[in-house]
Amino acid sequence: MKKITLFLICALSTMITAQAQEETKTEYNHWSIEVMGGLNKPTRPYTDLYYSPTFGAWNADLGVRYMINEKFGFKLNAGYNNINEGDDVPEFQTQYYHASLQGVVNLGNLFKFRDWTNTFNLLGHGGVGLAQMRLDEDAFYSDEEDYMTVFTVGLTPQVRLGNHFAIVGDLSIYGNVNQDYTWDGNTETPNRGFDGMLVNASIGFQVYLGKSEKHADWVDNSEETELRNQLDSIQGRVADLESDLMDEDQDGVPNYLDREPNTMNGVAVDSKGVAVDKNNNGIPDEIESSLDERYTSKAEFEKEGGSGSMGIKKLLNDGYVNVYFQFNSDKPETYSFEAINYLVRYMHENPSANADLVGYADELGNAEYNKQLSERRAKRVYDIIVASGIDESRLSYRGEGIDDSVDKSSSDARQLVRRVTFKLK
């Protein structure tokens, strides 16, 4: 029956999850603004003996980008370059302005960066535009303005600092068509193809615009990713269902219906997983007889003078009153708090009395581990008694480890040795 129920619930969860993910994909922002600046290197053309330093002077760029989806988009870019001479050549200063429309490719999504990082990404861009070169007033062709077509291509690494902000770098190459003059402005060029070449290396930041949590740069709505997300969701649901349908205390009632999930193994329970206790004394009926073997009868109690402190002391010292625990647990059974109360009441009535708390464990498991477990049990009872108002100086505790006095194969018998006993002094 459990397997059929699990199958039906999984099938329903699968249909609901598939429908939800078909109707809604991850929403994201499309627009961004980028501001960058850095150094430049014009490579050609120059008049003989002229040149520019390797990545000298400076450049500035402003871009507005729109991503059509998480993989492709376009941007408008405008920039300025200040170009000057290298060492040991006549001075010159050329100003270069450019604007272009570029396509953008999210290489991070194409190459599955999202599978291993949500912090680093890489964009590729390229396009065409117009450029103008203004020459130095001391140049031979200083009175001329040089207009040209510019083609550009570049790479932009990104480091995400938040949902709306990223630090970026950029390396771009610009190729000028019909550049009439050299970068220094002293020679006319032959206008053959890409007359001028320029490299910009920049760093800056991007601001993502929009109300969604993420920008297209950082999401992946590919079919493969959707299927993986669906599978992860289904696996998570199945894991939750398996956990709910588990029966950790083996009482026949699954965890999600079990109001008492730590019932002693083998004890009869009702449909809600609560141990049957018809006389409402806090002790499951099926182990009451076993516990009676550890407690004295009423007649014996009265015979031993049980109505007074001496009788209670004998019960405590002789092991008739104990605190019991579940397997591999240092949390006392609910019904055992009455045993702790016996000791607390006795010590309140006898201020000079001291008590030693001794913990035990059954034979299952490693001896060293059981030694530690027995001490934890004694310490837990010690803490409860101190919290009940008994001064800690009147108490001591220790763990004796395994009690092998019962049949190891009997679960009921092992329950009786998972305990803390009291020794009054």
Side-chain angles (χ1 to χ4, degrees):
M1 182 64 182
K2 289 182 182 178
K3 293 183 177 179
I4 296 174
T5 303
L6 178 60
F7 173 78
L8 292 175
I9 294 175
C10 288
L12 181 60
S13 298
T14 302
M15 289 188 291
I16 293 173
T17 301
Q19 181 178 357
Q21 296 211 3
E22 179 67 26
E23 292 176 352
T24 59
K25 293 184 178 181
T26 303
E27 293 296 329
Y28 51 81
N29 297 317
H30 295 265
W31 289 96
S32 65
I33 296 175
E34 60 187 35
V35 178
M36 290 187 285
L39 303 176
N40 60 63
K41 171 60 178 176
T43 59
R44 62 180 173 84
Y46 285 101
T47 301
D48 290 344
L49 302 180
Y50 280 80
Y51 69 94
S52 293
T54 301
F55 291 112
W58 59 279
N59 70 76
D61 281 271
L62 174 65
V64 178
R65 179 161 56 95
Y66 178 82
M67 295 299 291
I68 300 171
N69 53 42
E70 67 274 16
K71 294 181 180 178
F72 303 101
F74 59 86
K75 73 172 178 175
L76 289 172
N77 188 78
Y80 168 80
N81 284 61
N82 184 283
I83 301 168
N84 56 21
E85 78 286 345
D87 296 333
D88 301 323
V89 298
E91 293 183 1
F92 70 89
Q93 187 173 47
T94 299
Q95 300 178 70
Y96 177 72
Y97 301 87
H98 58 90
S100 59
L101 176 62
Q102 303 179 33
V104 179
V105 179
N106 189 340
L107 298 175
N109 270 347
L110 289 179
F111 293 105
K112 304 299 181 183
F113 281 25
R114 298 293 77 76
D115 290 348
W116 56 275
T117 179
N118 283 311
T119 301
F120 179 74
N121 198 43
L122 184 64
L123 303 179
H125 59 89
V128 63
L130 297 175
Q132 180 194 45
M133 188 167 63
R134 296 181 182 179
L135 303 173
D136 191 288
E137 60 182 12
D138 293 328
F140 185 82
Y141 292 98
S142 61
D143 295 333
E144 301 293 335
E145 289 185 347
D146 196 355
Y147 293 91
M148 63 207 79
T149 302
V150 60
F151 290 86
T152 181
V153 64
L155 292 174
T156 305
Q158 303 168 292
V159 178
R160 186 165 72 101
L161 300 183
N163 290 333
H164 295 278
F165 191 78
I167 296 295
V168 295
D170 187 79
L171 183 65
S172 294
I173 300 174
Y174 295 85
N176 298 327
V177 177
N178 295 329
Q179 180 174 333
D180 293 328
Y181 306 103
T182 57
W183 291 110
D184 55 90
N186 292 301
T187 304
E188 193 171 1
T189 63
N191 281 330
R192 294 176 181 172
F194 288 96
D195 304 296
M197 298 296 291
L198 171 73
V199 179
N200 278 353
S202 309
I203 190 170
F205 61 89
Q206 290 176 339
V207 178
Y208 298 125
L209 308 177
K211 297 181 180 179
S212 297
E213 182 178 352
K214 290 185 178 181
H215 186 267
D217 292 351
W218 306 100
V219 299
D220 183 2
N221 277 334
S222 65
E223 183 177 350
E224 179 183 342
T225 300
E226 287 184 48
L227 291 174
R228 184 167 58 250
N229 291 339
Q230 288 183 25
L231 180 60
D232 290 344
S233 176
I234 293 171
Q235 288 177 337
R237 290 169 182 262
V238 171
D240 290 341
L241 289 171
E242 289 178 342
S243 176
D244 288 342
L245 293 175
M246 286 180 62
D247 181 14
E248 293 181 350
D249 55 4
Q250 299 181 359
D251 60 0
V253 180
N255 288 347
Y256 79 104
L257 294 176
D258 201 339
R259 292 188 179 180
E260 194 175 89
N262 60 346
T263 307
M264 184 185 303
N265 187 24
V267 172
V269 298
D270 60 21
S271 61
K272 297 178 180 179
V274 178
V276 176
D277 179 19
K278 294 181 179 179
N279 58 5
N280 295 319
N281 65 350
I283 303 174
D285 293 345
E286 290 195 36
I287 68 166
E288 197 163 352
S289 59
S290 297
L291 291 177
D292 284 343
E293 297 177 7
R294 284 277 177 174
Y295 288 88
T296 186
S297 66
K298 180 177 179 181
E300 185 179 354
F301 177 76
E302 292 177 347
K303 178 180 178 181
E304 296 292 340
S307 59
S309 293
M310 290 302 294
I312 294 176
K313 181 176 182 180
K314 178 174 177 59
L315 289 176
L316 292 168
N317 281 339
D318 290 354
Y320 289 105
V321 180
N322 299 286
V323 181
Y324 293 95
F325 299 81
Q326 279 287 320
F327 174 72
N328 196 29
S329 172
D330 60 4
K331 180 181 179 182
E333 294 277 20
T334 302
Y335 57 79
S336 286
F337 282 90
E338 183 62 27
I340 298 175
N341 193 42
Y342 269 118
L343 179 61
V344 171
R345 288 166 56 190
Y346 177 86
M347 297 191 75
H348 276 304
E349 293 173 359
N350 299 271
S352 62
N354 296 320
D356 187 19
L357 316 178
V358 185
Y360 295 92
D362 62 30
E363 291 185 76
L364 300 183
N366 178 271
E368 180 60 30
Y369 176 80
N370 281 324
K371 174 73 172 178
Q372 298 172 3
L373 176 60
S374 66
E375 184 169 343
R376 293 204 311 272
R377 288 170 173 169
K379 178 62 164 59
R380 175 64 72 94
V381 176
Y382 169 90
D383 291 338
I384 294 173
I385 296 174
V386 171
S388 300
I390 303 301
D391 192 281
E392 60 184 19
S393 64
R394 301 174 60 193
L395 300 167
S396 61
Y397 67 89
R398 69 180 189 275
E400 287 294 328
I402 294 174
D403 182 343
D404 57 4
S405 62
V406 300
D407 183 354
K408 180 179 179 180
S409 64
S410 171
S411 60
D412 288 338
R414 294 198 306 272
Q415 171 66 39
L416 298 179
V417 297
R418 296 195 291 264
R419 72 193 192 282
V420 169
T421 63
F422 308 124
K423 299 297 180 182
L424 292 170
K425 297 180 283 187

